[in-house]
Amino acid sequence: MEQYEPDQLSPARLAAVRRSLRNGRASLSRRSLLRASTGGALALGGLGTLSACGIPAAKNTAGVSSEDHSAKEKQINFSNWTEYMDVDESEKRHPTLDAFAERTGIKVKYTEDINDNVEFFGKLKPQLAAGQDTGRDLICVTDWLAARLIRFGWVQKLDASNLPHAYANLSQQFRTPDWDPGRAYSYPWTGIPTVIAYNKKALDGVEVTSVSDMLDNPKLKGRVAFLSEMRDSIGMTLLDLGKDPAKFTDDDFDAAIARLQKAVDKGQIRRFTGNDYTADLTKGDLAACVAWAGDVVQLKADSPDIDFVIPDSGYMISSDNLLVPNKARHKSNAERLIDYYYEPGPAAELAAYINYVCPVDGVKAELAKIDKSAADNPLIIPDAAMAASSHAFRSLSAKEETAYEEKFAKLTGA
């Protein structure tokens, strides 16, 4: 396990953090998508402030646990993002959680206290660094933060014997992230695809099937946009260049920057955006853009002109993930809840409400009983070909993070 040390952010990385919190995924509600994807964001108000707060750097405390009180204390404390759980018509009850409690006798204290990864980590850091109970048995964080928590030894290894459905039904595309091979410490709650969205009316017959079409077709000059999140825009460009975002080199990254810089210089790219591209795309000010699939699902439902395409080169995907923090009092109960959401029935109920990629195999038939359009939507239930086309951005070292964010900030003018 990696020894924890506070990160020091360069001006470029600080700018990237603030950009994400202001108008990137960090700024959005669950229904319009997600959070800051910069690993360096962890230091702003989080890791970088530990020493200043008088909290010592954590020792290697991998898998630190207290006595598991699950047998005697039939409860779970679960922290999640807002609007990331099914609700009934009164919007006061969560049907799947109620069904779990009725079946198992385990009461779930469900708290929507995650607004972005950075802020949430700030709540947990004193206890995690000191090897103390956070008061939470289960948390849901984005892949880059999950990777950090695992490397620092601040979450517990899961007991596979308590996760038979999760082990059997986890979709292949989420089984082997480089930061948790084999999912020893985490299981995904949802997948978050990055695709190309377009406005058919604004395109007026122009075909867009790839990043190259967006960057090179003069008929689209000034009418395309890329995301202000480095991993999404660079990842999609790397794929277009024939490079694997899970294995790229410094030279590959520089080639992707140069490819986008050329388009910026000639005015092809209108701007780099957070989720504010949604308004411009709907109005037709943007003809095409790199977009988050959660937005596209909603935009398509509201407008017949909006659609999406998966390039032949593939698309980027990240995930939100369930983990059990060190010292959690109810680890076995938390594992039972994770496993419950990998049963097709509960997984379908959840997917029908939140409309993100469901990481559970075998859920389509159950989802069709609830919402056939959702079951047939590849942005919620990817078919085998689409799942195979997904790519994850590899984990970055602190040195790489600084260097890459500086270059991306220069490109975007941040």
Side-chain angles (χ1 to χ4, degrees), residues 226-278:
F226 280 68
L227 291 167
S228 58
E229 299 293 350
M230 182 264 287
R231 285 168 174 78
D232 296 310
S233 287
I234 294 296
M236 292 292 282
T237 306
L238 284 168
L239 288 170
D240 193 66
L241 291 170
K243 303 298 182 180
D244 185 350
K247 300 177 181 178
F248 68 89
T249 65
D250 287 348
D251 287 343
D252 296 333
F253 185 90
D254 289 345
I257 287 286
R259 181 88 169 92
L260 292 171
Q261 186 66 61
K262 181 179 178 182
V264 169
D265 292 344
K266 67 181 182 181
Q268 187 76 7
I269 295 177
R270 183 185 185 95
R271 61 193 180 101
F272 291 84
T273 76
N275 81 310
D276 48 329
Y277 65 79
T278 57

Side-chain angles (χ1 to χ4, degrees), residues 329-405:
R329 286 179 62 88
H330 311 107
K331 178 174 181 286
S332 296
N333 289 345
E335 290 166 340
R336 290 183 69 181
L337 185 62
I338 294 172
D339 196 61
Y340 168 75
Y341 279 107
Y342 274 81
E343 296 179 25
E349 291 184 62
L350 182 67
Y353 180 77
I354 65 176
N355 289 341
Y356 298 121
V357 169
C358 180
V360 182
D361 277 344
V363 77
K364 184 171 183 176
E366 291 296 323
L367 182 56
K369 298 175 185 177
I370 303 169
D371 184 342
K372 190 176 186 306
S373 64
D376 292 337
N377 190 331
L379 297 180
I380 299 174
I381 306 294
D383 59 23
M386 183 169 174
S389 297
S390 67
H391 298 265
F393 203 91
R394 69 172 174 81
S395 298
L396 301 179
S397 68
K399 182 179 179 180
E400 287 176 323
E401 186 82 47
T402 297
Y404 294 167
E405 283 291 0

